[in-house]
Amino acid sequence: MSEGTMQRRVERIQRAKRLNRVLVGAAAVPVMLVAAGCSSDSGSGDSTDKTAGAGASASASASPSPTVQAAAYGRLPEACKVLPEKTLEDLVPKAKSGKEGNSDDISTRASCSWDSLDNNGVKGSQFRWLNVSMLRFESDAARGSADKLAQEYYAKQVQDAQAVEGAKAAKSEPVTGTGDQATAVHYDLKKKEGTFKQQTVVARVENVVVTVDYNGAGLAGDKTPSGNDLLKDAKKAAAEAVAAVSKANGSGGGKASGAPSKAPSKSASPSGGTSPSKEAAKPASKKPVAKS
């Protein structure tokens, strides 16, 4: 075989090898494209699943809106009619009509006061002062249930009654049979007009707090009334006021309408006259009532 023939044969073999490599490479391209496509589809599915999973997780972790038990009582009785006529005749026998306290919402806060001066001529006179106040609480998601708020206010009222400046021989005792809880605080207050016997009964029934203040004194030489008798009368008035609250809400107590919480912004203050006897009858330097 000549040298030229061998050279041509070698070239043909080399061309055949190059062509074979090209064909093999061309066949590999579709396979890569298919593999890439499958990989892309798989990634898209994972992303969708992850997104859906995150949404489900967020939904599951979202906490429901906080709720509190609805208030049991939704109204208050008329303050100046909360006590029976017979009770008023016994406690404040010479009183005229009651004086209603100031309030921006009498369905939430109300009070009424009475004063009596029984003149016995040269023997002096007997003075009595009576005040009934009521405060009703609504449930509030941020502040708590109406019952809880009333319990807190009840405790504060008792503390205020126990901390009156100038009180002598102060004593406290639980009162049974009056609402859900009740406490009586009694003490003496010495004034230039005489010694005043002060009785305060604080009671809670459901979401309403009732406070009865009752005091008496013998003026111008008349004898000082019995503290035990006044305390008995104050407890009776508190029990009747609590019963009036329950009655105003129906025999079953009645449920509040679910209206938003309305914390009273002003206290229902008992109005008093300018008579020295009236001013002396009121508890001295009593701490302001805590607003709900």
Side-chain angles (χ1 to χ4, degrees):
M1 183 181 297
S2 65
E3 183 177 353
T5 301
M6 292 181 65
Q7 180 66 30
R8 286 193 294 276
R9 186 175 182 182
V10 170
E11 291 176 353
R12 285 198 299 273
I13 292 172
Q14 291 175 342
R15 284 198 298 274
K17 289 181 178 180
R18 285 197 298 271
L19 179 60
N20 185 52
R21 286 197 298 270
V22 170
L23 292 175
V24 171
V29 170
V31 175
M32 294 174 64
L33 291 176
V34 171
C38 292
S39 176
S40 175
D41 291 344
S42 175
S44 175
D46 290 346
S47 176
T48 301
D49 291 343
K50 290 178 180 179
T51 302
S57 175
S59 176
S61 63
S63 58
S65 300
T67 57
V68 291
Q69 184 177 0
Y73 290 161
R75 61 183 62 87
L76 293 176
E78 188 175 342
C80 290
K81 294 182 178 180
V82 73
L83 296 178
E85 289 291 338
K86 180 64 170 64
T87 299
L88 292 175
E89 289 175 4
D90 291 342
L91 272 62
V92 280
K94 298 297 181 178
K96 297 180 181 179
S97 59
K99 189 66 176 283
E100 187 173 358
N102 297 323
S103 174
D104 58 347
D105 183 0
I106 59 174
S107 71
T108 300
R109 184 189 294 268
S111 72
C112 190
S113 63
W114 300 260
D115 59 81
S116 169
L117 186 63
D118 187 3
N119 193 338
N120 296 314
V122 296
K123 294 182 180 180
S125 57
Q126 287 290 319
F127 178 81
R128 300 290 186 272
W129 181 77
L130 173 66
N131 182 79
V132 178
S133 64
M134 299 169 288
L135 182 62
R136 183 180 65 83
F137 291 86
E138 291 276 10
S139 293
D140 185 272
R143 300 168 63 224
S145 69
D147 190 75
K148 169 180 170 291
L149 296 173
Q151 289 184 48
E152 293 173 351
Y153 182 75
Y154 163 83
K156 185 65 170 61
Q157 283 288 85
V158 173
Q159 290 175 2
D160 286 348
Q162 294 169 333
V164 171
E165 184 179 349
K168 304 293 183 182
K171 295 181 180 179
S172 301
E173 60 185 70
V175 178
T176 59
T178 302
D180 297 307
Q181 54 186 149
T183 300
V185 181
H186 45 99
Y187 49 85
D188 294 347
L189 282 175
K190 291 189 178 296
K191 297 289 184 179
K192 63 181 181 179
E193 293 88 350
T195 298
F196 289 79
K197 297 285 187 177
Q198 171 68 33
Q199 324 296 320
T200 298
V201 181
V202 184
R204 180 186 68 83
V205 53
E206 298 288 358
N207 56 307
V208 176
V209 177
V210 175
T211 303
V212 172
D213 284 303
Y214 183 50
N215 62 42
L219 307 179
D222 207 342
K223 64 180 181 179
T224 300
S226 166
N228 289 334
D229 290 345
L230 295 182
L231 179 59
K232 182 180 178 181
D233 289 340
K235 290 179 179 179
K236 177 183 177 183
E240 291 175 340
V242 165
V245 172
S246 296
K247 184 178 179 180
N249 288 274
S251 59
K255 292 294 181 182
S257 60
S261 175
K262 255 190 318 188
S265 59
K266 299 178 182 178
S267 45
S269 57
S271 58
T274 57
S275 163
S277 297
K278 291 182 183 179
E279 293 303 318
K282 299 178 183 179
S285 304
K286 191 170 182 178
K287 294 183 179 179
V289 171
K291 294 188 178 182
S292 58

